[in-house]
Amino acid sequence: MTDNATTASEGTVLDEFGVAHTKLSGVDADLWNEDQAPTTRETRTWDWKAIAALWVGMVVCVPTYLLASYLIGAGMSWGEAVSTILLANIIVLIPMVLVGHAGAKYGIPFPVLLRASFGPVGAKIPAVARGVVACGWFGIQTWVGGSAIYVILNTLTGGALAADPLPILGINLAQFVCFLVFWAIHIYFIRNGTESIRWLETYAAPFLLLMGLALLAWAYFKAGGFGEMLSTPSQFDKGQPKEGQFWSVFWPSLTGMIGYWATLALNIPDFTRYAKSQKDQLVGQAVGLPIPMALFAFIASAVTSATVVIFGEAIWDPIALTEKMGGFTIIIALFALIVATLTTNLAANVVAPAHGFSNLAPSAINLRKGGYITAGIGLVMFPWILVNHIVGWLIAYSALLGPIAGVMLADYYLLRKQNLKVEDLFRHNGIYSGSNGWNWAGILALIIGILPNLPGFLNAVGVTESVSPFFATIYTYAWFVGLFVAGAAYLLLSMGKKKA
């Protein structure tokens, strides 16, 4: 499909980044491009350390830093908050590894895997649905990174960049230029493909961990200890204001923490398709996700506890904290924030929509063009204006994606027993084609899985003023409800159908 894709060797073809993929025969041109073709054994070079580094690069970011604050604000002690986050990520690791199995076994990305359960045409819907979330977060994270660059430059110039906002844009010229600079850095990695992202994540991971530990050490020595917050009892303990209410807060909090990375559980094959083995994808994810998440939650809790002693107030926002540090420390801290935002944004918010857009028209849109489309959306959405309006919507919308995982897991493990005929995933008349490219069992199961959560979703985004306690409770567990309901519905609707 791409102009520079040439046959690398017998049975292989190169994509626009020079990565070899398996050359398939008898496929339909409008369902195939080199990026979506299975990776070859030779190009599956990611060991467990590379996959763990990928996760560390995604975990270390501003939203993750703030997670513990939500739980402590709800009444938990720091220990309860960190334990809840650790447990949530151990749980979400299960669908991560299960869905990732298909990527490691067959070398195919998320949109191609979707074709087995939704059909080659129907798969476009869940692929784009996943990409929409990522596009929104891409714009917001790019604005965060650009803001950090602006603060650094404004600090170095003694405030010379401060100016009145420009008409229409709503930000000053320097802020807009810094946003464009950070946006352009993403373009570089989009142009150079997934291997360049792996290179960045591999080298950034130890740097980010070191910066996190350095921040922890700074807070400890500056405050002469971690202060009173780490010794503050849980508000749910006996004699405390919320005595006996722990479980009513714990369960929705646990679900919310699970939902934080649940969307990436859908498109994890985009990365595990490069894994050397199933063991590498399993160990890499087990090491790279739950442990760093818990560590980072502890660092956030401990540092915030120390800020009460150092500055007289609890400062959860890492950007606000760096501004109070002053001196050259602010430059180092914000540089680390820029790297953290870049690594998270590229892996979590570029790859999924790039594949999703490519899947809309594989013969016309390769992975690089899909990445450019993602970047373009992030640019024109004016994220600095929308950030306060769409974050809640994005979080609520993410909860509706559980049914996609339910259909995928039911299809791959229970219906097809992990056996796929890869060539037919790229054919209109293959065994996955369903009715004119639509597997209505998958589509209907997706709708059935969403329906129980819809009243709660509409209330969460402000469309309705109230929701019944029954549907409010269901929405509290939206991702799980959608996953199990859709999975069960899919199996029932698929009874008697031909398997791979």
Side-chain angles (χ1 to χ4, degrees), residues 314-338:
I315 304 173
W316 280 101
D317 186 347
I319 298 178
L321 175 59
T322 56
E323 291 177 345
K324 279 189 171 287
M325 286 179 174
F328 191 70
T329 305
I330 187 175
I331 308 299
I332 299 174
L334 286 173
F335 176 75
L337 177 63
I338 291 168

Side-chain angles (χ1 to χ4, degrees), residues 30-48:
D30 61 335
L31 292 177
W32 179 91
N33 64 30
E34 293 86 354
D35 299 293
Q36 293 186 339
T39 52
T40 64
R41 284 293 173 193
E42 292 71 28
T43 55
R44 299 181 194 182
T45 58
W46 294 27
D47 59 12
W48 71 268

